[in-house]
Structures are given as structure tokens and as C-alpha cells.
């Protein structure tokens, strides 16, 4: 077979080249992944923290149920539920743009995984850390705020890196509800131009570049916030 | 409140659409797990062999697969497999080939961790008995690595079962497709998606509960 990279310079029928279209799609991918990441980390941190609270069995149970619910249903099915079922049952969501519904789906799906990491990170801390906070006269909330969470977040940076890269990859399911991201672009441009190999190669490269960038950013953060002598494993992040 | 109506549900629908898709999802999961473990173990052994000619291709393959979204891999194989084989293959066969190839990369990382978890003394013991490299791997290291990693392997299988729904991208007839087809024909797509979620949840939750039990038992034995 022969290469034909000039396919990217062709007009896609709306006055832009396939190359321009691809970079627009890349921006959508990054936007979906970025916005979902914010929801995932905030919700995941909250749910994960709640799961380790002492003496509040009911809140812990609800948080555990959250994790099980969002972890045991495939992302694609969750996406369809946010996109098709939620607006049907709650009419308020009919005014919410499709982009946001996708962001909720991906964000909450990932939050369950992050909550699991946050819980594991908190439980990996020596019990003395908690007692030290209490001995200082901190309330439970203050102990978490000033002692436990700052430590736990540093511990979970390596798995959080992998999960953030996963989120970026999972954003590809957004094609299924016609968000104009990279996978959607790849499928449509492949149909229109029949140069699937070139298109898929370019899109795959963009995914790999984005994932690698996420990896580097986290490696940088990890180096900046490490506590000397504490984190033994010394994660290189995302491998 | 746009109410949901589940009265369309009947045995005929389940038999005609859902079971057909469910059976394919299960087949795909089992074949991809077995194939993934076999090829994944080969990849893991290549990466641990210490020989550059084996290490390099295996490392590139594993890291390459792991850095691309599964949906893209599915599309790649759907495009390439017919070109390589020289004749068209259906979405279902394409999905099976993709999942075996893709999961091998993930299972190889699990098996690699498993092999590395075996104390060096075990290897030396095998060598002291005069075992060849192959015998040592087959009779001493791999059985223990496999047992140590069993819970993780099963957890990966549960994830794999969820991921089979992504064959939606090439239109293969899996469990999700079965529900969405039924939903379209009976004019109740929303309800169909909800039911799909319930089925996936029940299957995955029960399996992960069993894995948790197994993990506790294995932990006690050791």
C-alpha cells in the first residue's frame, strides 16, 4: 500500500481541511477529559475521604455504595444513561448541553476509581498520624484537612497519574453520543476519505502525545511535593 | 417527570435480543481472558528474559497498546484485519482478535508482577535440582505466579467483561447491542439502557464479591 498524507490537506466540505478538523477534535477531547477530571477528583476525594470516617457507619455505607455503583457498570452504558435516560426522567436536564452530560458520565465513572485510591491512600497512613492530629486538639475535620489528606494525596499520586491517563483514553467513548472528539473525527474522516490508516495513525499519535503529557505533568508535581524520606516506593508515575 | 414504563419487557424479547448479545459478550470475555493470559504470559517472559531482541519488541507492544484507547484499537483491527487476512471478517471475529491482542498487553503486566513476586530462592532451588530454564518456569515459577495473581487476573476479567460493550464502535452484537436493538424495536430505548445497566451491575458486582471472598481465602493460606 502507499501512503497519502496529503489527505489531511483536503477540504472536508465545509471550508476547513481535515488537519484543522482534527485539531478541533483534539481540543474537544482535551476539553471533555479536562472537565471530567475536575469532577472526578473533587467527587473522588470527597467519597474516598468519607469512606474512612470513624464512627459514621451510614455515611460510609452510602459512599461505598457510590463506588460499587459507578464501578460495576461499563462507561458506555453510564454514558447512555446520562445522555438518554436522565433527561427523560428529570426534565431539568433537557436544558443541560450534551457536552456536560458526557462530562458528568466520565467524571462520576472515574470518581469511583479515584475514591478507591483515596481510601487506600488514607488507610496506608500509620494510625499514629490520626492520633497525632487528635492529640493536637484538632477536630476530625481539621485532622483530615491538615494532617491526613496532604499526606494521602502525595501517596496516591502514582495511581492517580494512571487514572488520569485512563480518563483521557476513556473520553474516546464520547463518540457514541456524537461529541466531535478525536475518535468521532477518526471514524467520520475514515468514512469520507477511505484513508483510514493515515487518519488512525495521526489520531493514535495525538492520544499517545496527550497521555504522555499528562504523565509528565504528574511526574513534575510528584517531584515538587514529595516528602523526603517518606514515600519509599518513589513512583515514576503511570507505569 | 417523564415516567419510565417497563411493561414492554417479556420473555420473547429477552430470548431474541438480550440472550443473543449476552452469549457473545460472555464468549468474548472467556476467549479474550484465556488468549490474553497465554499471550500475556509469553510477553511477560519476553520482557523478563534479559535478551534485548525479545525485551524490546515486547516492551514496545505492551506500552503501545496501553497508551491507546481501546475504542481506537478496536477500530484499528476492524480496519486492518481484513487487509492482513485478505478477506472480510465480521465485526464479531474482528472483536475477538482485537480483545485477545489488547488484553494480552494488560495481562502481561499482571503476570510480570506475579513472576517478580516469586522469591529468588525458588528459582535457585529449581536450578539446584538441575532444572532447565523452561522446566523451572513451567514447574516452579509460573504456577506460583499464577496463583498469587489469581485475584488480580479475575478482577481484570471483570473489567474486560465491561469493556466488551465498546464493540459498539464496530456494531458487533454484544449484550449492550442486544438491549439497544430491543429498545429501538419496542420504542423504549431509555428503559432498555437502564435494564442493560442493571444486568451489567448484577453480573460485575457478584463476580467482584466472589473475587473478594477468594482473595480472603488465598490470603489465609499463604
Amino acid at each position: 500500500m502507499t501512503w497519502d498524507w496529503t489527505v489531511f490537506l483536503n477540504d472536508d466540505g465545509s471550508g476547513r481541511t481535515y488537519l484543522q478538523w482534527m485539531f478541533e477534535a483534539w481540543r474537544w477531547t482535551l476539553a471533555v477529559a479536562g472537565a471530567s477530571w475536575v469532577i472526578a477528583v473533587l467527587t473522588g476525594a470527597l467519597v474516598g475521604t468519607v469512606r474512612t470516617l470513624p464512627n459514621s457507619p451510614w455515611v460510609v455505607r452510602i459512599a461505598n455504595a457510590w463506588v460499587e455503583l459507578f464501578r460495576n457498570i461499563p462507561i458506555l452504558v453510564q454514558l447512555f444513561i446520562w445522555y438518554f435516560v436522565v433527561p427523560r426522567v428529570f426534565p431539568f436536564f433537557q436544558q443541560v448541553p450534551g457536552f456536560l452530560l458526557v462530562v458528568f458520565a466520565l467524571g462520576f465513572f472515574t470518581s469511583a476509581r479515584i475514591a478507591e485510591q483515596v481510601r487506600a491512600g488514607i488507610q496506608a497512613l500509620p494510625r499514629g498520624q490520626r492520633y497525632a492530629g487528635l492529640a493536637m486538639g484538632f477536630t476530625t475535620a481539621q485532622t483530615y484537612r491538615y494532617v491526613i489528606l496532604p499526606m494521602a494525596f502525595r501517596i496516591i499520586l502514582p495511581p492517580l497519574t494512571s487514572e488520569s491517563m485512563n480518563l483521557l483514553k476513556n473520553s474516546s467513548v464520547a463518540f457514541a453520543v456524537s461529541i466531535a472528539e478525536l475518535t468521532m473525527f477518526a471514524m467520520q474522516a475514515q468514512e469520507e476519505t477511505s484513508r483510514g490508516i493515515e487518519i488512525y495513525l495521526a489520531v493514535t499519535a495525538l492520544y499517545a502525545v496527550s497521555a504522555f503529557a499528562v504523565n509528565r505533568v504528574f511526574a513534575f508535581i510528584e517531584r515538587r511535593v514529595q516528602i523526603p524520606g517518606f514515600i519509599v516506593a518513589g513512583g515514576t508515575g503511570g507505569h | 417527570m417523564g415516567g419510565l414504563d417497563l411493561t414492554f419487557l417479556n420473555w420473547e424479547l429477552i430470548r431474541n435480543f438480550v440472550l443473543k448479545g449476552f452469549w457473545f459478550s460472555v464468549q468474548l470475555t472467556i476467549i479474550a481472558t484465556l488468549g490474553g493470559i497465554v499471550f500475556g504470559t509469553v510477553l511477560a517472559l519476553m520482557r523478563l528474559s534479559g535478551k534485548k531482541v525479545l525485551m524490546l519488541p515486547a516492551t514496545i507492544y505492551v506500552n503501545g497498546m496501553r497508551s491507546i484507547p481501546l475504542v481506537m484499537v478496536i477500530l484499528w483491527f476492524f480496519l486492518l484485519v481484513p487487509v492482513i487476512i485478505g478477506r472480510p471478517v465480521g465485526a464479531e471475529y474482528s472483536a475477538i482478535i482485537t480483545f485477545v491482542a489488547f488484553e494480552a498487553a494488560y495481562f502481561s503486566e499482571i503476570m510480570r508482577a506475579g513472576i517478580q513476586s516469586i522469591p529468588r530462592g525458588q528459582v535457585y532451588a529449581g536450578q539446584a535440582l538441575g532444572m532447565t530454564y523452561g522446566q523451572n518456569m513451567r514447574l516452579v515459577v509460573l504456577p506460583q505466579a499464577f496463583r498469587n495473581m489469581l485475584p488480580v487476573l479475575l478482577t481484570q476479567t471483570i473489567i474486560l467483561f465491561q469493556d466488551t460493550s465498546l464493540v459498539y464502535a464496530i456494531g458487533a452484537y454484544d449484550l449492550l447491542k442486544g438491549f439497544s436493538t430491543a429498545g429501538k424495536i419496542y420504542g423504549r430505548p431509555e428503559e432498555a439502557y437502564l435494564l442493560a445497566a442493571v444486568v451489567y451491575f448484577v453480573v460485575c458486582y457478584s463476580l467482584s464479591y466472589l473475587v473478594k471472598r477468594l482473595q480472603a481465602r488465598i490470603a489465609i493460606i499463604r
Side-chain angles (χ1 to χ4, degrees):
Chain A
M1 64 158 283
T2 50
W3 298 112
D4 181 14
W5 291 98
T6 55
V7 63
F8 281 101
L9 302 176
N10 294 348
D11 195 295
D12 73 343
S14 67
R16 61 178 173 181
T17 62
Y18 280 101
L19 194 65
Q20 284 172 320
W21 181 6
M22 184 171 73
F23 281 111
E24 262 167 56
W26 193 19
R27 280 205 292 279
W28 274 106
T29 288
L30 297 178
V32 169
S36 313
W37 189 84
V38 173
I39 291 193
V41 169
L42 292 179
T43 322
L46 179 71
V47 175
T49 306
V50 162
R51 292 177 79 196
T52 63
L53 285 180
N55 311 323
S56 6
W58 274 105
V59 211
V60 173
R61 265 177 219 136
I62 292 170
N64 287 342
W66 174 280
V67 171
E68 294 298 344
L69 182 68
F70 285 99
R71 203 171 55 166
N72 284 312
I73 299 173
I75 175 61
L76 194 54
V77 178
Q78 292 194 31
L79 181 65
F80 285 154
I81 288 184
W82 278 96
Y83 206 80
F84 297 116
V85 184
V86 167
R88 183 54 210 286
V89 179
F90 307 100
F92 163 77
F93 280 91
Q94 284 162 12
Q95 282 117 53
V96 177
F99 170 79
L100 276 185
L101 295 174
V102 174
V103 167
F104 284 140
L106 269 165
F108 286 140
F109 174 79
T110 314
S111 81
R113 285 139 199 273
I114 293 181
E116 190 69 359
Q117 294 167 0
V118 170
R119 181 193 59 83
I122 293 174
Q123 285 175 347
L125 288 175
R127 221 174 292 174
Q129 297 274 341
R130 189 187 290 268
Y131 297 147
L134 294 175
M136 298 282 289
F138 284 170
T139 61
T140 303
Q142 284 171 324
T143 309
Y144 272 97
R145 163 77 185 77
Y146 295 110
V147 182
I148 298 178
L149 287 180
M151 296 289 275
F153 266 101
R154 286 165 162 112
I155 294 179
I156 66 160
L157 270 174
L160 191 60
T161 307
S162 317
E163 201 48 55
S164 306
M165 291 163 78
N166 281 342
L167 172 55
L168 187 89
K169 288 189 281 169
N170 284 336
S171 73
S172 59
V173 297
F175 83 88
V177 291
S178 304
I179 298 290
E181 46 72 68
L182 276 175
T183 304
M184 183 82 189
F185 160 77
M187 294 172 89
Q188 287 190 343
Q190 174 333 82
E191 283 269 299
E192 289 175 18
T193 62
S194 303
R195 306 294 322 180
I197 308 245
E198 289 87 343
I199 304 266
Y200 285 172
L201 266 180
V203 167
T204 303
L206 285 186
Y207 272 117
V209 165
S210 319
F212 185 70
V214 171
N215 182 302
R216 290 297 90 197
V217 168
F218 271 88
F220 175 76
I221 297 174
E222 215 174 300
R223 268 200 310 279
R224 292 302 294 269
V225 302
Q226 66 176 302
I227 309 167
F230 187 79
I231 298 171
V232 195
T236 45
H239 294 292
Chain B
M1 188 84 185
L4 297 167
D5 177 11
L6 290 172
T7 51
F8 73 102
L9 200 62
N10 59 48
W11 173 238
E12 191 111 340
L13 172 157
I14 293 174
R15 202 181 45 211
N16 289 346
F17 303 102
V18 176
L19 281 186
K20 181 184 167 195
F22 189 52
W23 175 227
F24 177 70
S25 289
V26 169
Q27 274 181 309
L28 183 55
T29 305
I30 292 173
I31 297 174
T33 302
L34 296 179
I37 289 177
V38 171
F39 289 113
T41 306
V42 173
L43 285 167
L45 288 175
M46 285 169 75
R47 292 190 72 179
L48 292 170
S49 67
K51 293 192 180 69
K52 210 167 179 183
V53 268
L54 297 177
M55 276 165 78
L56 198 64
T59 308
I60 292 174
Y61 180 83
V62 170
N63 288 339
M65 278 294 183
R66 281 155 49 91
S67 61
I68 321 172
L70 176 53
V71 177
M72 280 305 297
V73 182
I74 292 173
L75 291 173
W76 264 116
F77 274 79
F78 193 53
L79 177 82
L80 283 184
V81 170
V83 177
I84 294 168
I85 300 185
R87 61 186 173 80
V89 290
E92 278 77 13
Y93 280 108
S94 173
I96 289 172
I97 297 171
T98 310
F99 269 79
V100 170
F102 182 80
E103 293 299 331
Y106 280 79
F107 279 118
S108 106
E109 288 297 87
I110 298 172
M111 285 310 289
R112 192 161 68 106
I115 293 169
Q116 283 175 330
S117 76
I118 305 300
R120 298 292 295 166
Q122 296 282 332
V123 182
Y124 298 145
Q127 284 168 347
L129 284 170
M131 287 185 180
T132 63
Y133 176 82
Q135 284 173 325
N136 211 346
M137 275 296 164
R138 190 160 49 84
L139 301 170
V140 180
V141 178
L142 284 181
Q144 297 188 74
F146 191 77
R147 211 190 85 173
N148 285 355
M149 285 294 129
L150 197 56
V152 190
L153 289 169
L154 291 174
T155 305
Q156 179 64 28
T157 303
I158 299 171
I159 297 172
L160 168 53
F161 176 69
Q162 290 190 27
D163 282 347
T164 57
S165 60
L166 295 176
V167 298
Y168 176 89
I170 53 174
Y173 206 112
D174 74 317
L175 178 57
L176 178 57
K177 174 90 168 182
F179 270 113
S180 68
T181 311
K184 258 180 214 120
I185 290 177
Y186 288 81
R188 298 253 165 237
E190 291 91 355
E191 286 85 346
Y193 289 134
L194 266 186
L195 286 173
V198 172
V199 171
Y200 275 108
F201 180 82
V202 169
V203 172
C204 296
Y205 184 80
S206 338
L207 287 178
S208 54
Y209 176 77
L210 290 177
V211 172
K212 221 179 276 172
R213 291 264 307 265
L214 177 82
Q215 206 163 9
R217 272 184 58 184
I218 289 185
I220 291 167
I221 294 170
R222 250 195 292 163

